[in-house]
Amino acid sequence: VMNSNLKCLLHILADGEFHSGEEIGEKLNITRSGVWKIIKQLENYGLNFEAKTNQGYRLEGGRLELLEQNKIQAYLPEDLKPLIKNLDIFDTISSTNSWLLQAIDYPNLTLPKICLAEFQTQGRGRQGRKWVSAFGQNLCFSLLWQFNKGFSEISTLSLVIALAVVEAIK
């Protein structure tokens, strides 16, 4: 779990602009040395930073758009809003898929259930391949849904979903 100073620093630097160590330190109530230590911790999440004298720190590569439930809900088409209300968002998680597999046993579970994360420590892709992504740089999510058909009838579903995601992003 990401601590509050890490999270606050990410929100400050998410705009892609330079912020002085002094300014950040004041907002987080820590020293400039403490700011540097937190930035070093964020590098463990695959994020890179620029540091310039008299300008401060900024996120390398520009802005970082963090996952926010209210923004996601706002962009959903009206016909999907009632369906997609069971949405869980994590800063960091071992695996969105593993989390949903554990959620299956929860009493009163409503489907669909969607799990999104900014960063996964043990994410897996197809055929068990490791899924590595820097914090906030890719879509890390899993969807729990119940199908009434056999596996052979839905074997190409992941490909169809991938094409729909590409189309939606365009």
Side-chain angles (χ1 to χ4, degrees):
V1 175
M2 185 176 280
N3 76 39
S4 62
N5 276 347
L6 286 172
K7 200 170 180 177
C8 288
L9 179 58
L10 265 177
H11 281 279
I12 293 168
L13 297 176
D15 66 5
E17 302 296 322
F18 278 102
H19 295 272
S20 73
E22 186 176 337
E23 169 198 343
I24 296 168
E26 285 175 13
K27 288 181 179 176
L28 300 180
N29 199 27
I30 59 175
T31 65
R32 286 181 14 199
S33 171
V35 170
W36 183 83
K37 288 177 184 176
I38 293 173
I39 285 179
K40 289 298 172 192
Q41 289 176 16
L42 284 173
E43 289 177 347
N44 294 330
Y45 291 90
L47 294 169
N48 295 312
F49 298 89
E50 285 182 69
K52 287 194 177 178
T53 307
N54 297 324
Q55 289 187 357
Y57 301 98
R58 85 169 168 187
L59 192 59
E60 206 172 81
R63 296 180 51 87
L64 180 66
E65 191 168 351
L66 301 170
L67 296 170
E68 295 180 43
Q69 185 154 349
N70 60 343
K71 282 187 179 179
I72 293 169
Q73 291 288 341
Y75 282 101
L76 286 173
E78 288 302 318
D79 59 331
L80 288 181
K81 285 182 182 183
L83 183 64
I84 302 177
K85 54 187 170 192
N86 205 353
L87 186 64
D88 296 313
I89 300 175
F90 296 91
D91 296 319
T92 182
I93 194 170
S94 62
S95 162
T96 57
N97 189 55
S98 296
W99 192 87
L100 284 178
L101 289 174
Q102 292 173 357
I104 290 173
D105 297 329
Y106 291 171
N108 304 322
L109 176 68
T110 57
L111 298 178
K113 187 163 185 64
I114 302 169
C115 180
L116 295 108
E118 298 285 5
F119 183 76
Q120 294 185 110
T121 58
Q122 299 171 8
R124 297 186 315 275
R126 290 185 54 136
Q127 299 175 345
R129 293 184 184 112
K130 190 171 182 176
W131 181 268
V132 179
S133 171
F135 189 97
Q137 302 296 308
N138 294 295
L139 295 174
C140 298
F141 72 95
S142 294
L143 166 71
L144 181 60
W145 188 271
Q146 184 174 355
F147 293 96
N148 297 323
K149 304 214 179 244
F151 180 74
S152 63
E153 294 182 62
I154 60 169
S155 63
T156 58
L157 182 62
S158 62
L159 178 60
V160 172
I161 291 172
L163 291 171
V165 168
V166 167
E167 191 62 31
I169 290 173
K170 283 183 183 178

